[in-house]
Amino acid sequence: MKTRRNIDLTTLDQLKDNHIGKVGTPLRDKYEFDLKVEILGEMIKAARKERNLTQEQLGKLIGVQKSQISKLERNTKNVTIETILKVFKALKTNIKFSIEMNEQNFELT
C-alpha cells in the first residue's frame, strides 16, 4: 500500500529569497535587473521575427551592424535607450518606459 509523503511547497519568491537574497539586497536587485534585460532582448527578437526581418535587415533600418542587433537580442546591458527606441520604432511597435525617481514617475512613450 502506498502512503502519501508530506511535501513542503516553496514559492518562487521564497526560493529567490533563500538562494539569491531578499528583495532590496544588491545581489537580488542585480538578478531582477538582469532578468528584465533578458526579457527585453527576447521581446526585440520576437518582434523582429514577427516582422519577418533578419538581424541584418533590422540593423540597416536603424544604421547599425548585424552584430549589434545580435548583441542587443542576447544582452541589452551595453546599449543605449536611444538604440532600443530606434529598434522598436523600426519594428513599428509601441514601447513605454517608466522611470521612478524620488517618488516621481516619468514616462517615455
Side-chain angles (χ1 to χ4, degrees):
M1 179 183 240
K2 292 183 180 179
T3 61
R4 287 190 166 183
R5 295 181 188 179
N6 289 336
I7 299 174
D8 291 331
L9 298 178
T10 304
T11 67
L12 179 58
D13 284 335
Q14 289 171 328
L15 284 172
K16 289 192 276 186
D17 286 350
N18 292 336
H19 296 284
I20 301 169
K22 301 257 184 216
V23 173
T25 60
L27 188 59
R28 178 69 174 266
D29 287 347
K30 181 182 180 325
Y31 168 82
E32 297 292 344
F33 175 79
D34 289 348
L35 183 61
K36 289 175 185 175
V37 165
E38 187 174 323
I39 291 168
L40 181 61
E42 288 295 322
M43 290 171 63
I44 291 168
K45 184 177 183 177
R48 175 182 60 77
K49 287 186 171 192
E50 187 176 306
R51 301 290 188 269
N52 295 313
L53 293 171
T54 65
Q55 290 177 339
E56 186 173 358
Q57 290 168 326
L58 178 57
K60 284 181 182 178
L61 285 173
I62 66 166
V64 299
Q65 298 291 320
K66 172 189 179 269
S67 61
Q68 182 69 21
I69 300 300
S70 177
K71 288 177 187 176
L72 181 61
E73 290 179 356
R74 288 183 288 112
N75 177 359
T76 55
K77 292 178 197 170
N78 295 326
V79 70
T80 65
I81 290 175
E82 180 182 11
T83 301
I84 292 171
L85 292 174
K86 283 181 184 179
V87 166
F88 280 112
K89 184 176 181 180
L91 293 170
K92 297 180 178 149
T93 57
N94 295 322
I95 186 168
K96 186 181 215 181
F97 281 105
S98 179
I99 301 168
E100 292 180 26
M101 188 170 98
N102 298 329
E103 298 181 22
Q104 295 178 352
N105 291 328
F106 302 94
E107 291 188 6
L108 178 61
T109 56

